[in-house]
Amino acid sequence: MQDVENTALSESDLSRSPSLHRDDYLRYGRQMILEGFGLPGQAGLQRSSVVVVGAGGLGCPALQYLAASGVGRIGIIDHDMVELSNLQRQILHNESTVGVYKAISAAQAIQKLNSKIQVDIITEALHSSNAIALLYPYNVILDCTDNAPTRYLLSDTAVSLGKPLVSGAAQKFEGQLSVYNFGDNGPCYRCIFPRPPAMETVGTCEETGVLGAVTGVIGTMQALETIRIITGLHDGKPTLLLYSALTVPFFRSVKLRSKKPSCIACGGDGVKNGTIEETDYVAFCGGVRPNWEQKGLSSGSPGARIRVQELKDMFESNTQITLIDVRPTIEFGICQLSGSKNVPLPQLLADPNSHISDDESGQVVIVCRLGNDSQIAADTFRESKPNIVVKDVIGGLRAWSREIDPLFPIY
């Protein structure tokens, strides 16, 4: 059983004579009158410390409610900067903080909400050589990240430090939540997911999309779980909460197995600090994630690809071309080049012959969002129709917007 002083505050701590400022009784009164919470629970929050790794879609609502509830010390770890595309879901940031470190922007927001709390701002990237030192001072760790290497690093570090890890994830219309390394026999992340998923099966929010309110639901639930842990209201039973915005009921709870004795992290002797520092978590999860925008800009085989300026010249010279956009139909509906027809890549790969006739006149030009799917489609057409000239557009529609038409939408 983990050291309770490193997680929730002990019963003796909670039963001490609390010392709240007079204004705090009014500020926190609505939660202090709850059965099982009371003055000891509020005093416990005030003496507790929580670190949130990731001040994005999950971290923002979690930070907002942790600060509002009166958690005494909050650490924010995030080395990214605010971008315009973040504002749809990352609710602590705003237009005036675009270009500012997310950790700084989030800290400014929650300190406006509650000036009495202590906020630690950490703008360096979390990695295996600094994770122990950065996370050690806090009672509870929140994983509000969106990548597998950091998830495994946080889990191993939480095990090493004997602290609970409140983990959330959200993508598209769905999210999930669980507390790891907590309770008498609670599993760690590796117990449930001993191996990371294949890299090609895991997309980012930029690639797959996410409804902002979904991240709000999961991030808020992470704050709730943290408050339950600190105040002793959590039952310690390991569960995985699944959320879908498109189903009824919205929530489904799955009972998780207990800690695995064979787990390399929390089973047996458990993970050691040195083991964490020696582990290459990126390599363990399949290597560095490809930069798809950069890959889409590669020149490829000579004559196989054209630049957006060449496509523009074709339009202006009335060159006869068949322009095929292989993005999903929903993306084609957002914006498209005039004269293009939509054939989503899965449909094209399933039956390429039905989308180009054998007597096709002129050239066939393939376009997509970044210039990656178009290469796959073009190669498929060349194999099935070797007598037809097929080319694809380097950099896709993003390059078109950047180099040709700055009014063409980027999403």
Side-chain angles (χ1 to χ4, degrees):
M1 182 175 178
Q2 60 199 42
D3 184 355
V4 73
E5 289 184 357
N6 285 333
T7 58
L9 298 178
S10 66
E11 291 183 9
S12 61
D13 284 334
L14 291 174
S15 62
R16 287 181 199 155
S17 176
S19 56
L20 297 184
H21 189 277
R22 184 175 180 276
D23 290 347
D24 291 338
Y25 289 87
L26 183 59
R27 178 190 283 263
Y28 304 116
R30 302 302 188 274
Q31 63 194 37
M32 288 168 60
I33 62 176
L34 294 173
E35 189 69 30
F37 195 100
L39 184 58
Q42 190 60 51
L45 286 176
Q46 190 179 64
R47 292 194 295 268
S48 67
S49 58
V50 175
V51 60
V52 176
V53 184
L58 299 173
C60 282
L63 285 163
Q64 186 175 41
Y65 276 99
L66 290 171
S69 71
V71 170
R73 180 184 179 188
I74 299 177
I76 309 174
I77 301 178
D78 199 315
H79 67 286
D80 286 337
M81 294 186 177
V82 180
E83 299 177 357
L84 185 62
S85 62
N86 300 148
L87 304 187
Q88 164 257 0
R89 62 199 177 281
Q90 301 179 18
I91 57 173
L92 292 182
H93 312 308
N94 58 72
E95 293 176 1
S96 66
T97 61
V98 170
V100 175
Y101 278 111
K102 289 183 181 180
I104 295 175
S105 173
Q108 292 172 345
I110 63 174
Q111 286 183 312
K112 287 180 180 178
L113 177 65
N114 191 342
S115 62
K116 293 185 177 181
I117 62 175
Q118 175 185 338
V119 182
D120 304 330
I121 301 171
I122 303 164
T123 58
E124 61 181 297
L126 188 78
H127 45 75
S128 56
S129 64
N130 66 6
I132 294 290
L134 291 180
L135 302 179
Y136 175 81
Y138 303 94
N139 299 126
V140 184
I141 303 168
L142 273 70
D143 178 0
C144 299
T145 65
D146 62 355
N147 66 88
T150 307
R151 290 194 185 280
Y152 282 97
L153 169 60
L154 286 174
S155 179
D156 289 352
T157 305
V159 170
S160 179
L161 295 175
K163 301 177 188 293
L165 176 67
V166 183
S167 177
Q171 203 167 78
K172 297 183 179 179
F173 296 99
E174 301 174 342
Q176 64 183 46
L177 169 76
S178 191
V179 178
Y180 297 108
N181 196 47
F182 181 64
D184 292 335
N185 206 23
C188 72
Y189 187 76
R190 281 187 187 269
C191 288
I192 309 302
F193 305 104
R195 282 284 168 190
M199 185 178 295
E200 60 270 16
T201 66
V202 182
T204 64
C205 289
E206 181 182 10
E207 296 160 6
T208 65
V210 64
L211 189 64
V214 171
T215 65
V217 170
I218 301 301
T220 300
M221 292 293 294
Q222 286 183 267
L224 177 59
E225 290 291 81
T226 303
I227 293 168
R228 291 175 66 204
I229 291 170
I230 293 170
T231 58
L233 294 172
H234 201 292
D235 61 11
K237 295 179 180 178
T239 58
L240 177 65
L241 184 69
L242 302 175
Y243 172 78
S244 173
L246 302 182
T247 63
V248 177
F250 292 138
F251 293 97
R252 184 164 63 93
S253 183
V254 178
K255 182 180 179 181
L256 295 181
R257 58 160 298 144
S258 299
K259 182 185 300 185
K260 287 176 62 175
S262 60
C263 176
I264 63 171
C266 66
D269 294 333
V271 67
K272 299 293 189 294
N273 292 5
T275 305
I276 293 173
E277 294 172 356
E278 295 167 3
T279 301
D280 187 334
Y281 287 88
V282 173
F284 171 71
C285 294
V288 177
R289 188 165 188 81
N291 183 327
W292 295 113
E293 183 169 5
Q294 195 62 42
K295 286 177 68 70
L297 291 169
S298 64
S299 57
S301 303
R305 314 196 73 194
I306 62 171
R307 298 194 175 277
V308 289
Q309 182 61 53
E310 296 175 70
L311 179 60
K312 180 176 182 288
D313 293 342
M314 289 179 177
F315 287 155
E316 293 178 344
S317 63
N318 293 318
T319 301
Q320 187 169 2
I321 63 172
T322 299
L323 182 59
I324 299 178
D325 188 324
V326 295
R327 292 175 298 153
T329 301
I330 195 72
E331 295 186 30
F332 185 78
I334 296 172
C335 57
Q336 68 282 142
L337 293 178
S338 178
S340 61
K341 71 173 182 176
N342 183 218
V343 183
L345 184 62
Q347 295 180 23
L348 187 149
L349 296 179
D351 186 13
N353 291 325
S354 66
H355 301 293
I356 298 182
S357 62
D358 289 327
D359 58 351
E360 191 81 31
S361 57
Q363 296 185 41
V364 174
V365 179
I366 315 295
V367 69
C368 66
R369 185 181 183 187
L370 299 176
N372 295 296
D373 289 347
S374 61
Q375 296 182 65
I376 299 172
D379 287 342
T380 301
F381 273 142
R382 292 187 192 102
E383 291 177 5
S384 62
K385 304 284 187 179
N387 59 314
I388 295 176
V389 178
V390 181
K391 297 184 179 181
D392 82 291
V393 180
I394 296 173
L397 295 174
R398 186 163 294 182
W400 179 269
S401 178
R402 182 173 53 245
E403 299 177 30
I404 304 298
D405 182 5
L407 297 181
F408 190 85
I410 295 256
Y411 60 92

